[in-house]
Amino acid sequence: MGKLDGRVVLITGAARGQGEREARLFAAEGAKVVLTDVLDGQGEAVAKDIGPGARYVPLDVGREEAWADAVAAAKEAFGKVDGLVNNAGILRFNELTGTPLDEFQQIIQVNQVGTFLGIKAVAPEIAAAGGGSIVNTASYAGVTGMAYVGAYAAAKHAIVGLTRVAALELARRNIRVNAMCPGAIDTAMSNPAQLDPEADAEQASRALDELYRKLVPLGRAGRPEEVARLALFLTSDDSSYITGQPFVIDGGWLAGVSVV
């Protein structure tokens, strides 16, 4: 018996990285999964590989009408939606005063507005299904400062606040809302070498680990499957009395600075 038997969960940004691992793990735990992304070819391939309990639906999370279409497609495929993982996000590095306005707005539109639109579109469906959970992907940068990612940090801080408000408002509808705050995770977002077909993926991962060896007490970057397991915990009944909370998963990075 799986932890998510009978559940239908929509996961954004599920064509690769954390979202893909979440979709695969949720399916293995008995859920029907609706994978959404703007990377249609990759998303369709992942859904096909997972099997008949998965569907891929194109979704630009920053467009409200696209959310309505995605929810309708999910209900057509599986009859209901009672879980949401707002995973989709983008990252750009730039000095704050040198960040173009359109770049700042793009990051806010995808990361912050996309999360808001997901809650707005899916919460009524979860309530109609009798309740469930929403997991928002914030960041280590959503609970502390980080230089050169001002727009990203602003959006991720907003997601933490939005999570708390949503938890308060949706509790009476039997919907729990929590946030994950990952640190450096070995995905294409933090490790672009993964997108280079000629690159050695293992070597790229070792290089990322080396970069964070002195910053992170556990001495390495996180793995997407580790974040997926946290998403599973927050989606399943294992966390039935938890709502409105940000969960930092960063190998101890936020704990402080070691002098050793």
Side-chain angles (χ1 to χ4, degrees), residues 20-255:
E20 176 185 350
R21 295 302 179 93
E22 288 158 1
R24 291 184 182 280
L25 178 59
F26 283 27
E29 289 289 343
K32 300 291 192 298
V33 290
V34 180
L35 297 82
T36 71
D37 212 304
V38 293
L39 303 173
D40 295 341
Q42 291 176 255
E44 289 169 355
V46 174
K48 182 178 180 181
D49 190 52
I50 291 174
R55 294 288 188 280
Y56 174 76
V57 178
L59 173 61
D60 177 348
V61 297
R63 295 175 52 240
E64 188 165 17
E65 63 274 18
W67 271 104
D69 292 342
V71 170
K75 290 178 65 179
E76 181 179 357
F78 299 122
K80 66 172 182 175
V81 181
D82 55 10
L84 169 65
V85 180
N86 275 315
N87 168 75
I90 58 175
L91 171 65
R92 302 287 185 271
F93 292 94
N94 218 331
E95 185 179 12
L96 186 60
T97 57
T99 301
L101 177 59
D102 59 349
E103 178 180 298
F104 190 95
Q105 290 176 325
Q106 180 191 28
I107 293 169
I108 296 298
Q109 188 69 24
V110 174
N111 295 356
Q112 180 180 338
V113 176
T115 298
F116 158 69
L117 290 176
I119 295 171
K120 183 179 180 182
V122 180
E125 302 299 333
I126 298 176
S133 67
I134 296 173
V135 178
N136 298 322
T137 304
S139 172
Y140 168 96
V143 290
T144 189
M146 182 179 291
Y148 301 105
V149 292
Y152 181 82
K156 294 302 186 176
H157 272 77
I159 289 171
V160 173
L162 190 64
T163 296
R164 290 175 170 141
V165 172
L168 293 171
E169 294 186 4
L170 298 176
R172 63 181 181 273
R173 302 169 77 177
N174 197 30
I175 300 173
R176 297 184 299 104
V177 188
N178 291 290
M180 302 188 297
C181 300
I185 306 299
D186 190 9
T187 65
M189 179 179 285
S190 58
N191 191 4
Q194 291 188 9
L195 301 178
D196 182 355
E198 298 182 359
D200 183 325
E202 290 187 8
Q203 182 178 1
S205 294
R206 288 195 297 270
L208 189 68
D209 283 346
E210 185 61 32
L211 176 64
Y212 286 98
R213 190 174 305 282
K214 294 182 179 180
L215 292 174
V216 177
L218 292 186
R220 63 173 176 84
R223 308 295 181 234
E225 58 269 22
E226 293 174 313
V227 180
R229 289 195 290 268
L230 176 57
L232 173 64
F233 169 72
L234 293 174
T235 300
S236 75
D237 288 340
D238 287 346
S239 58
S240 58
Y241 197 54
I242 299 174
T243 194
Q245 302 304 311
F247 285 79
V248 177
I249 174 169
D250 69 347
W253 193 3
L254 191 64

